[in-house]
Amino acid sequence: MQEFDLIKKYFSQLTKKNKYALNLNDDIFFDKSKNLAVSIDTYVEGVHFVNFKKPGLVIKKILRSSISDLICKGVNPKYYFISGSGNKKTFSPPNLKKISNSLREEQNKFNISLCGGDTVYSSKLSFTVTTIGFSQKIVFRNNAKL
């Protein structure tokens, strides 16, 4: 089942007609009354990135991909949360140092701040990033232009 079909069939009714959920098809949550925009993405090794041989580059790709959901809506990302699942090899001290350094570089480049997250040991490597920004308006998917 394709992503949008899955959302429509199983999850759209759970929004209870919440207009801020944007029918679960606009990549973000946007509460205009609070100027709040939120996006969440999950990245899995072998699906969203080939391998973890260069953890610093992988984490940069993940963070940039996540903040781009807000940026393409005209929202400046301000905060992010990152959660990761992996094993002792992927979360080794050298890899964690590379991840930390890359996140610091991206924070400086995009003027965003890490505000929390979670880590879990697992045989499958994945990361989930939630980004938060503020804006008085957004560009909706059906209004996007070249």
Side-chain angles (χ1 to χ4, degrees):
M1 183 175 289
Q2 298 294 322
E3 179 182 8
F4 290 115
D5 295 331
L6 182 141
I7 290 168
K8 184 177 181 180
K9 184 172 182 176
Y10 295 103
F11 300 112
S12 290
Q13 69 274 13
L14 298 174
T15 66
K16 296 185 181 188
K17 307 287 185 206
N18 179 342
K19 65 183 177 181
Y20 305 127
L22 306 177
N23 297 319
L24 299 181
N25 69 3
D26 221 320
D27 291 334
I28 71 167
F29 164 91
F30 179 61
D31 183 339
K32 186 174 182 171
S33 68
K34 294 181 175 63
N35 298 334
L36 175 66
V38 180
S39 176
I40 185 167
D41 290 292
T42 298
Y43 305 87
V44 179
E45 183 178 27
V47 176
H48 301 98
F49 55 97
V50 176
N51 58 48
F52 206 55
K53 291 179 181 175
K54 296 187 178 188
L57 292 178
V58 169
I59 208 69
K60 282 183 177 190
K61 173 191 175 177
I62 287 168
L63 188 58
R64 288 180 186 185
S65 180
S66 294
I67 65 175
S68 74
D69 283 352
L70 292 183
I71 292 169
C72 75
K73 299 293 181 187
V75 178
N76 288 324
K78 181 80 174 151
Y79 308 111
Y80 74 100
F81 299 77
I82 187 166
S83 295
S85 67
N87 58 36
K88 290 181 181 180
K89 181 180 176 187
T90 54
F91 286 171
S92 68
N95 281 355
L96 291 171
K97 183 71 172 167
K98 291 174 186 174
I99 291 169
S100 176
N101 287 339
S102 289
L103 288 174
R104 184 177 295 106
E105 289 173 10
E106 297 303 283
Q107 286 184 186
N108 291 335
K109 182 173 188 160
F110 295 103
N111 194 28
I112 57 176
S113 299
L114 176 63
C115 293
D118 193 22
T119 55
V120 176
Y121 279 96
S122 169
S123 60
K124 191 73 172 177
L125 179 63
S126 70
F127 293 93
T128 297
V129 178
T130 301
T131 54
I132 298 173
F134 302 93
S135 182
Q136 294 180 354
K137 62 181 181 174
I138 65 168
V139 176
F140 292 95
R141 177 173 283 174
N142 60 355
N143 292 337
K145 295 180 179 43
L146 291 176

